[in-house]
Amino acid sequence: MSHLSPDRFCAVVGAEGVGLGRWHATQPQWLGSRAFTCDAAQPAWEAALQALSALLAEHAVRGAELRVLLSARYSRFCLVPWSDAIGNPRELDAYARACFENLYGQSLDDWRIVLSPEPAGAARIATALPQALLQGLQALSRHSQLKLRSVQPYLMAAFNRCSAKLAQGDFLFVLAEPRRSVLMLAAGGAWQQVLAQGCADSDQALQALIDRTCELYGEHMPPVYLHAPGRGDVPQLEAVQLCQPAGDSDPLCAMWRAVA
């Protein structure tokens, strides 16, 4: 009899905790979460990996598949304008790194950059992830005898799940994680801006952030879509359409359920 597990696991690596969900056959099951605290002398992802290792040891079975979703805390985002001078993937990667360096004022040599697929002539959204974190997840998967299938920023998973509901051409998509929000503005069918910043978890703070971003759009506010699975309550904001399931007391569980 085979001891390999048919289960598929999905880990959510949040800013202050990690969570784990499982699909057994077609049945989803939330297994729980584990909080962690960060030592100022170490990167935040090191404490997250330690917490995830302990959580996997409680639940995972040899041979199962693992998918990982990363909080915006571990990602950096940048708009990469179109350039006719780019002729191959290596030049595109170097160009994207230059855009990040110009935005953040430091080199991202130790980060992996992933660019959104866009048609010719359109700007791309670039996401940078620490190479050390990705290597740590690979090592943890091998140690836990799991098959690491994917590592993805939660922003991308949430946007892809909500994309069918978005207006064509012009919109503002807002991901509101606990204490951090990411906003992606599209106009004329192309990306115009991506912004990530700390934000209080109140309706007032989130509304102010949305209003400031929409001011860049012009006279007419585009449709605004909010994905805030980390909120236990339902945000009450003006002219905002929600892209999320019912609230959950555990933000990590809510994030998992939103894209499960």
Side-chain angles (χ1 to χ4, degrees), residues 52-53 56-57 60-64 139-146:
L52 180 57
S53 178
L56 287 172
V61 179
R62 178 172 61 89
L140 175 58
S141 299
R142 290 193 298 268
H143 177 76
S144 303
Q145 298 185 344
L146 294 167

Side-chain angles (χ1 to χ4, degrees), residues 172-183 195 197-214 221 224-231 233-238 240-242 244:
L172 176 65
F173 179 77
V174 183
L175 168 64
E177 294 185 10
R179 290 188 292 283
R180 189 163 186 82
S181 295
V182 186
L183 303 92
L195 171 68
Q197 69 176 61
C199 180
D201 294 332
S202 67
D203 287 353
Q204 294 81 3
L206 191 54
Q207 184 74 63
L209 181 60
I210 291 173
D211 291 344
R212 289 197 302 270
T213 304
C214 287
M221 178 181 294
V224 180
Y225 299 89
L226 173 65
H227 181 68
R231 294 281 296 272
D233 59 344
V234 178
Q236 303 295 319
L237 304 177
E238 297 178 3
V240 171
Q241 301 182 52
L242 299 179
Q244 65 191 84

Side-chain angles (χ1 to χ4, degrees), residues 80-181:
V80 178
W82 171 261
S83 173
D84 291 326
I86 303 301
N88 57 60
R90 180 177 296 181
E91 291 178 352
L92 180 59
D93 181 78
Y95 177 50
R97 290 182 185 277
C99 292
F100 270 106
E101 184 173 348
N102 181 63
L103 179 62
Y104 290 95
Q106 64 182 87
S107 171
L108 293 184
D109 290 341
D110 297 329
W111 294 62
R112 180 181 300 176
I113 293 178
V114 180
L115 293 134
S116 64
E118 307 295 343
R124 300 171 184 260
I125 288 182
T127 306
L129 301 170
Q131 284 281 14
L133 169 57
L134 299 176
Q135 293 167 357
L137 288 168
Q138 293 171 349
L140 175 58
S141 299
R142 290 193 298 268
H143 177 76
S144 303
Q145 298 185 344
L146 294 167
K147 300 175 182 177
L148 183 61
R149 291 305 187 191
S150 67
V151 179
Q152 187 179 28
Y154 184 77
L155 172 68
M156 298 297 106
F159 175 79
N160 290 338
R161 182 57 59 95
C162 298
S163 60
K165 303 177 183 179
L166 306 185
Q168 296 296 318
D170 298 20
F171 61 84
L172 176 65
F173 179 77
V174 183
L175 168 64
E177 294 185 10
R179 290 188 292 283
R180 189 163 186 82
S181 295

